[in-house]
């Protein structure tokens, strides 16, 4: 695929507010996109900057299974099912220590997990 085609697809995705697709294109073609940064729209440049910062910090992005675990935590918290939440959290302590995890937790989950002292108060 040509660099200009990739840039065009990224810019189209950003225009349609499909940031997930834009991020995937950027991650898959990071070196090429970084070289042609000037052709990207503002939002696409911000996504590129975010990806580069994450890579430089050494933090790995959350996997699909981790995102699924967070979704389950949010569901239990919304239902106020503390017992189910505690059972689900066993063995997932490292997930709660990741800074990116806090961005995906809903308000109910944050409050309950803070009360359980599973996460630090924000």
């Amino acid at each position: 695929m040509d660099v200009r085609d990739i840039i065009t697809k990224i810019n189209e995705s950003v225009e349609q507010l499909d940031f997930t697709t834009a991020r995937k294109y950027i991650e898959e073609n990071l070196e090429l996109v970084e070289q042609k940064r000037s052709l990207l729209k503002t939002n696409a440049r911000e996504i590129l900057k975010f990806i580069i910062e994450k890579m430089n910090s050494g933090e790995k992005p959350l996997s699909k299974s981790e995102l699924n675990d967070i979704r389950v935590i949010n569901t239990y918290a919304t239902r106020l099912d503390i017992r189910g939440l505690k059972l689900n959290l066993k063995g997932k302590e490292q997930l709660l220590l990741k800074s990116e995890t806090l961005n995906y937790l809903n308000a109910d989950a944050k409050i309950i997990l803070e009360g359980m002292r599973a996460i630090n108060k924000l």
Side-chain angles (χ1 to χ4, degrees), residues 32-45:
L32 296 174
V33 173
E34 196 170 5
Q35 292 171 359
K36 300 292 184 177
R37 174 185 294 209
S38 61
L39 299 175
L40 293 173
K41 296 198 177 222
T42 306
N43 287 339
R45 278 190 228 135

Side-chain angles (χ1 to χ4, degrees), residues 96-113:
L96 294 177
L97 293 176
K98 292 185 176 183
S99 61
E100 193 174 357
T101 301
L102 297 177
N103 297 330
Y104 290 97
L105 293 173
N106 64 20
D108 295 330
K110 287 179 183 176
I111 291 169
I112 292 171
L113 292 172

Side-chain angles (χ1 to χ4, degrees), residues 4 6-17 19 22 26 33 36-50:
R4 294 192 188 272
I6 295 168
I7 298 292
T8 303
K9 287 185 179 186
I10 292 170
N11 286 334
E12 287 174 0
S13 298
V14 168
E15 284 177 9
Q16 297 172 359
L17 302 177
F19 299 121
I26 292 171
V33 173
K36 300 292 184 177
R37 174 185 294 209
S38 61
L39 299 175
L40 293 173
K41 296 198 177 222
T42 306
N43 287 339
R45 278 190 228 135
E46 289 298 319
I47 293 171
L48 176 64
K49 179 181 168 185
F50 173 78

Side-chain angles (χ1 to χ4, degrees), residues 108-121:
D108 295 330
K110 287 179 183 176
I111 291 169
I112 292 171
L113 292 172
E114 285 174 3
M116 294 170 54
R117 295 194 176 128
I119 61 172
N120 294 328
K121 291 191 177 188

Side-chain angles (χ1 to χ4, degrees), residues 48-96:
L48 176 64
K49 179 181 168 185
F50 173 78
I51 291 170
I52 292 171
E53 286 175 3
K54 285 291 184 183
M55 290 178 67
N56 291 338
S57 70
E59 186 175 331
K60 294 181 182 177
L62 295 174
S63 67
K64 288 187 179 194
S65 64
E66 290 173 329
L67 289 173
N68 189 38
D69 291 337
I70 294 169
R71 187 178 54 78
V72 170
I73 290 169
N74 286 336
T75 302
Y76 280 123
T78 302
R79 293 180 186 164
L80 294 173
D81 185 358
I82 305 300
R83 181 173 178 239
L85 182 62
K86 285 182 179 180
L87 289 172
N88 188 305
L89 288 176
K90 284 189 179 179
K92 296 182 177 85
E93 296 83 12
Q94 294 300 317
L95 176 62
L96 294 177

